[in-house]
Amino acid sequence: MFNHQFLSKIIIVFSIFLVCWFSTVLYFVISYPNIEWNWDEIDVDDLEFPKSFIWGTATAAHQVEGNNTNNNWYEWELSYDENNVSRIYNGDRSGLASDHWNRYPEDIKLMKNLGVNHYRFSIEWSRIEPQKGIINQEAIHHYHELINALINSDITPVITLHHFTHPIWFEELGAFEKEDNIKYFVKFSEIVFSEFSSDVPIWCTINEPAVFVSEGYFNDIFPPGAKNPQLSSIVMKNLLNAHVEVYRHLKAMPNGELVKIGLVKSIFHFDPYRHWHVLDWFLSRVLDNVFTNEPLKFLKTGQSSFYMPGLVNDEISNKDAVGSLDFIGLNYYSRMHVQGQLNQHEPFIFKTRLRDIQTDMGYPMYAEGLHRALHTISELEVPIYITENGLADRSDEIRPLFIKRYLYAVSQALKDSLDIRGYFYWSLMDNFEWAKGYDMKFGLYEVDFKTQERKLRQGSKPFIDIISRFSE
Ligand code: BGC
């Protein structure tokens, strides 16, 4: 009798558990459908781009210029982790990088050969202001020369003010960990803007705040390697507020109303590895929220939160954020598949699916994701520039397919009437890929780092073909 009752209770509890489990999974599956296109049935040449569409390539100062020895990354490259292993793969250091500082005239010719009409690059703060309050006129002169050379070649310059690097003095003051330090970034931005705003029509304030925060303050992949969720949320808040401040200050300056100023947001999807597993779903949602949805909500409404269960629960609010974008820059690469695990120190891992085509960065080719991300970001209701998209592929075997599929996805989003103004390929040439050093080959042009010789990759040809099909 006792056994029978006990068994019935167990069956009831188990049934309730199963019903809850399956209804939760069903809710997620219906709310967040897994978007995968049947590429066998798609004609990737079926493209449409308006004549006014901007075609560009992108780089960042520290990754290409060479000899940047006065910023947070230079120090990081010289440091070792707790196991005495270099922070950078293979012990690489940025060093001379692609020597773009000296070879930019040649690199502009490379851009011309591609047929692009825009070039996105970043201004290295540690060169302009090597010490607090001291401005280096030679560095300013250099960027004037670069900008003039671009304009003389009919290539429109696009500036990024902060692309992961800043001067050592700023890092030593606590960088974006302190709200009070935002003023230094605003000052630097004003100096750069007063110099170049008559020649540069598009300005990106900060590149990928969420990547800067997750890699530098949550993981220890970027400097300062803090591994501190509380601090992550503070830095995120300060970066978003820094964008708003810079936007407001630059808009009030001469040329402010004539140029476009925006933020560059990376969208990297987090999807469940096991579609039947509640934990994978739950963690994917948390990551998507903290990385993408909440920062976008902040830009749209001035209010958002930074929530990671058991780790951090913070609010961000700034009414000036509303209307602080003339455009949004979207950097899109791929997605991650999340597998949850009952481990307090490592609650999830990223899994590779065998059926996906992998890039060398360890994440898959997922062009549908670019279409998805464009729809998500369009909720901001401002013009969109795809400020980065590309892949690491040292074999050069999947680059052609990547270019065709991702541009097909852009073309589809244009057909959906999204306001997409341009596409910048990452990257013009091989460069220093942060913690992965020189191992990753993102370039349309291959660089021989011994001789600095540049060579067009065969796999880059579809990009040139597509530009020529749709240019005037
Ligand atoms: C960054 C680039 C980087 C690229 C490829 C983006 O997150 O803005 O600096 O090289 O991804 O990993």
Side-chain angles (χ1 to χ4, degrees):
M1 183 62 188
F2 170 80
N3 273 347
H4 182 248
Q5 269 189 358
F6 184 65
L7 197 64
S8 318
K9 273 190 189 154
I10 289 200
I11 290 174
I12 290 172
V13 169
F14 189 63
S15 307
I16 293 174
F17 173 77
L18 278 185
V19 169
C20 289
W21 178 284
F22 282 113
S23 45
T24 310
V25 167
L26 193 65
Y27 161 77
F28 279 126
V29 169
I30 292 172
S31 311
Y32 306 98
N34 180 32
I35 296 168
E36 286 180 22
W37 294 346
N38 182 354
W39 288 100
D40 293 338
E41 287 178 2
I42 288 175
D43 174 10
V44 287
D45 292 325
D46 176 17
L47 299 174
E48 263 174 50
F49 289 96
K51 286 279 176 237
S52 59
F53 198 74
I54 284 171
W55 296 99
T57 59
T59 63
H62 191 75
Q63 294 180 270
V64 293
E65 283 181 350
N67 291 322
N68 273 312
T69 56
N70 189 23
N71 64 24
N72 52 335
W73 263 88
Y74 177 70
E75 289 196 317
W76 186 245
E77 289 163 31
L78 298 181
S79 71
Y80 295 85
D81 68 13
E82 52 284 358
N83 301 317
N84 214 26
V85 175
S86 168
R87 296 287 185 180
I88 315 298
Y89 179 80
N90 208 20
D92 283 352
R93 290 178 180 167
S94 54
L96 191 57
S98 321
D99 196 21
H100 184 56
W101 186 263
N102 297 309
R103 291 172 193 262
Y104 71 86
E106 176 187 348
D107 294 339
I108 292 174
K109 289 195 189 121
L110 304 184
M111 295 176 212
K112 283 306 279 178
N113 292 342
L114 296 172
V116 296
N117 48 34
H118 280 61
Y119 175 48
R120 172 179 174 236
F121 60 98
S122 71
I123 302 276
E124 178 58 39
W125 182 0
S126 64
R127 287 196 191 259
I128 301 282
E129 194 178 2
Q131 292 168 49
K132 189 166 140 238
I134 312 273
I135 302 304
N136 177 358
Q137 291 303 330
E138 272 174 40
I140 291 194
H141 177 70
H142 167 86
Y143 288 114
H144 270 301
E145 288 199 326
L146 167 64
I147 289 167
N148 290 340
L150 286 164
I151 294 171
N152 289 338
S153 300
D154 289 323
I155 295 180
T156 305
V158 176
I159 282 181
T160 306
L161 289 163
H162 189 277
H163 195 125
F164 297 160
T165 55
H166 45 243
I168 290 176
W169 65 260
F170 184 70
E171 185 79 350
E172 284 172 351
L173 285 177
F176 291 104
E177 292 169 29
K178 299 205 180 105
E179 192 183 342
D180 197 40
N181 289 343
I182 293 175
K183 61 178 186 261
Y184 298 115
F185 180 54
V186 173
K187 186 89 212 114
F188 157 71
S189 302
E190 286 176 333
I191 290 166
V192 174
F193 197 77
S194 67
E195 284 291 337
F196 307 119
S197 59
S198 48
D199 292 329
V200 178
I202 305 177
W203 291 74
C204 308
T205 55
I206 300 176
N207 182 68
E208 303 186 342
V211 171
F212 181 83
V213 169
S214 60
E215 301 300 64
Y217 291 88
F218 201 78
N219 303 314
D220 57 351
I221 293 175
F222 282 17
K227 278 193 154 183
N228 179 338
Q230 282 298 333
L231 199 54
S232 303
S233 127
I234 293 170
V235 176
M236 189 67 192
K237 201 185 293 194
N238 289 338
L239 283 172
L240 291 173
N241 285 331
H243 158 74
V244 175
E245 284 280 298
V246 169
Y247 179 88
R248 300 280 167 211
H249 277 80
L250 301 191
K251 277 283 154 190
M253 289 177 69
N255 298 321
E257 285 305 327
L258 300 176
V259 305
K260 294 192 178 78
I261 305 173
L263 175 85
V264 172
K265 175 77 193 89
S266 149
I267 293 189
F268 219 102
H269 294 109
F270 297 97
D271 287 332
Y273 180 65
R274 299 164 296 186
H275 280 253
W276 52 269
H277 207 297
V278 171
L279 192 56
D280 293 11
W281 271 111
F282 174 71
L283 289 164
S284 303
R285 297 317 311 142
V286 167
L287 291 171
D288 255 350
N289 283 342
V290 82
F291 196 86
T292 299
N293 301 333
E294 290 297 330
L296 292 185
K297 194 169 150 212
F298 173 84
L299 294 166
K300 178 121 187 169
T301 66
Q303 298 276 349
S304 73
S305 58
F306 195 91
Y307 170 67
M308 300 195 84
L311 294 176
V312 52
N313 189 3
D314 245 345
E315 296 290 317
I316 313 185
S317 153
N318 180 350
K319 60 177 175 20
D320 286 346
V322 180
S324 70
L325 293 172
D326 299 331
F327 71 90
I328 185 76
L330 169 66
N331 289 358
Y332 189 83
Y333 290 89
S334 178
R335 67 170 163 184
M336 290 293 195
H337 285 103
V338 179
Q339 179 174 306
Q341 46 186 26
L342 298 173
N343 175 340
Q344 205 192 338
H345 301 291
E346 204 185 5
F348 59 85
I349 49 173
F350 295 127
K351 296 279 283 190
T352 304
R353 302 187 319 175
L354 288 177
R355 62 176 180 277
D356 288 336
I357 303 175
Q358 298 299 324
T359 71
D360 294 344
M361 287 293 275
Y363 46 69
M365 171 144 85
Y366 181 52
E368 302 86 314
L370 177 52
H371 184 259
R372 242 173 108 181
L374 285 164
H375 273 272
T376 302
I377 216 153
S378 71
E379 285 162 22
L380 291 175
E381 294 177 278
V382 291
I384 304 165
Y385 294 101
I386 298 161
T387 33
E388 281 182 35
N389 175 238
L391 86 162
D393 175 24
R394 79 178 66 75
S395 73
D396 201 31
E397 276 165 16
I398 61 173
R399 191 167 276 103
L401 191 60
F402 180 99
I403 292 171
K404 288 181 190 171
R405 283 192 181 177
Y406 278 70
L407 283 172
Y408 174 81
V410 178
S411 168
Q412 287 300 110
L414 281 163
K415 281 189 191 158
D416 300 339
S417 304
L418 300 192
D419 186 5
I420 308 163
R421 305 281 173 96
Y423 173 95
F424 294 75
Y425 191 88
W426 183 275
S427 179
L428 171 65
M429 58 198 159
D430 291 341
N431 57 47
F432 178 71
E433 178 50 34
W434 308 114
K436 304 261 187 194
Y438 288 105
D439 195 42
M440 293 296 139
K441 307 296 182 190
F442 274 92
L444 290 166
Y445 287 91
E446 180 181 356
V447 176
D448 177 336
F449 287 101
K450 288 202 188 81
T451 61
Q452 289 294 341
E453 193 196 338
R454 282 96 158 112
K455 211 164 78 198
L456 182 70
R457 285 204 161 87
Q458 287 303 308
S460 308
K461 295 246 163 87
F463 188 54
I464 301 177
D465 295 344
I466 293 169
I467 296 177
S468 72
R469 246 179 91 187
F470 294 101
S471 297
E472 315 240 57

